[in-house]
Amino acid sequence: SAALRGCINDVHNVRSLLTQSFGWPLDCIRVLTDDNPHAMPTRANIERAMRWLSEGSQPGDVLFFHFSGHGAQQQDPHGFEEDGMNETILPVDFKRAGMITDDHMGDLMVKDLPEGVRMTAVMDCCHSGTGLDLPYSWGARGWREETNPYHSRGDVQLFSGCADDDTSADSSGPHGSAGGAMTTAFCDVLRASPCPTYPELMGSLNQLLHRRGFRQHAQLTSSQSFHFARPFLLDDVMPNGNHKVGRIFRKKFSPRPRPMQGPLADMLGVGGAVLGGMVVGDVLGGLIGGLLG
């Protein structure tokens, strides 16, 4: 089976973090999980929830998006991606409705956000490093701009569980319950220290992942390049510093599919060629979106 063990627990964990640690009201949060027949994470429902989260946003609004489930890749028809591959998430009905690409998620949630809106996103799935196709990636040498970036006005930050060419793992929570490694670490770090600096947050995430035996590394991408030593706060909004809004095209890249084997590869019909995703457990996916304004 390619099912996952901890996705629904991840959603509950993040909702608890937002409501109990950061004081967000429950009625501003929408949740999709595949144990609720009235709110299944189908492609249509996920897209509808993404639109609900972002549409009508005004300066001062604070948004949060979380996805825990299967992640994969497919060829980028435009050649914008440096590895020639779009990152994707898999809704429960992906066999019929298809995967959702990072480009499409960017269209739904990122590109039209006005200046003064903050969105924090956490993606706990394989190949999620640039899962919202944001233009800046943080690394050892500071911010790096993508070769073909798409710049927008809003302040969007994505914390993801692994690099685009890596896979993400299931973990166990403090009481032995299953959960995604990234979601569990993110919630544990912020409960222990609700206002770390960005270096402290990224360092703590990776130290915790390593200490728990995972080889994956937490990633940070952003719509804005900002001073990294500042505190991490969900409602601290960066002003737009992008001089050009829209796509900057510099070079076209050919696709470089990666080998993949296992139950998810069989489900995707790719045999031994590309795509990716976690391959343990009993739950396919879950999503949480929150709006505070």
Side-chain angles (χ1 to χ4, degrees):
S1 170
L4 303 173
R5 294 183 298 123
C7 299
I8 292 176
N9 292 336
D10 286 344
V11 170
H12 295 323
N13 198 5
V14 170
R15 180 168 57 183
S16 172
L17 177 75
L18 292 177
T19 57
Q20 297 180 18
S21 298
F22 292 104
W24 288 38
L26 271 172
D27 60 6
C28 77
I29 297 173
R30 289 194 180 181
V31 172
L32 303 175
T33 52
D34 65 1
D35 64 344
N36 182 355
H38 303 293
M40 293 283 287
T42 63
R43 178 175 180 135
N45 283 345
I46 290 174
E47 290 174 340
R48 190 176 298 114
M50 289 178 174
R51 292 188 185 97
W52 166 82
L53 182 62
S54 61
E55 285 183 352
S57 297
Q58 300 293 324
D61 286 347
V62 177
L63 316 177
F64 193 96
F65 171 80
H66 170 260
F67 175 80
S68 177
H70 279 300
Q73 291 183 311
Q74 65 184 28
Q75 292 187 10
D76 174 9
H78 307 292
F80 295 148
E81 301 270 2
E82 294 179 9
D83 61 357
M85 307 296 292
N86 279 330
E87 285 63 55
T88 66
I89 62 172
L90 276 63
V92 292
D93 60 346
F94 75 92
K95 287 185 178 181
R96 177 184 61 81
M99 299 184 283
I100 304 175
T101 67
D102 52 358
D103 289 347
H104 190 44
M105 288 187 280
D107 290 341
L108 292 173
M109 293 193 294
V110 176
K111 293 179 180 178
D112 293 330
L113 289 182
E115 182 174 4
V117 173
R118 165 69 178 270
M119 177 186 289
T120 304
V122 176
M123 294 182 67
D124 197 347
C125 54
C126 296
H127 311 293
S128 56
T130 61
L132 290 179
D133 206 24
L134 302 176
Y136 298 105
S137 301
W138 181 262
R141 298 183 179 180
W143 291 111
R144 175 186 175 276
E145 186 184 49
E146 293 290 306
T147 302
N148 300 312
Y150 192 100
H151 291 296
S152 54
R153 295 181 176 87
D155 179 12
V156 182
Q157 298 169 27
L158 168 63
F159 295 86
S160 48
C162 63
D164 285 348
D165 61 353
D166 202 359
T167 55
S168 193
D170 266 348
S171 177
S172 294
H175 304 294
S177 58
M182 177 61 182
T183 301
T184 304
F186 186 83
C187 293
D188 287 352
V189 167
L190 288 180
R191 286 191 177 102
S193 177
C195 183
T197 64
Y198 280 85
E200 290 169 346
L201 175 57
M202 296 303 293
S204 296
L205 286 172
N206 284 312
Q207 288 169 16
L208 195 53
L209 289 168
H210 179 74
R211 191 161 66 242
R212 291 173 174 172
F214 302 110
R215 63 177 180 83
Q216 66 196 73
H217 298 282
Q219 310 289 311
L220 173 62
T221 57
S222 177
S223 63
Q224 308 289 334
S225 60
F226 56 83
H227 180 56
F228 201 62
R230 61 194 274 250
F232 169 78
L233 297 167
L234 291 176
D235 57 357
D236 183 15
V237 185
M238 284 295 299
N240 177 38
N242 298 316
H243 300 295
K244 174 181 171 59
V245 173
R247 177 75 64 185
I248 298 174
F249 180 77
R250 299 184 178 112
K251 180 181 178 180
K252 185 173 183 177
F253 293 93
S254 299
R256 299 200 305 273
R258 299 178 180 88
M260 181 197 168
Q261 296 178 344
L264 184 59
D266 296 337
M267 289 171 61
L268 290 166
V270 296
V274 170
L275 299 179
M278 299 180 279
V279 289
V280 250
D282 64 358
V283 175
L284 181 61
L287 174 145
I288 184 168
L291 168 65
L292 187 64

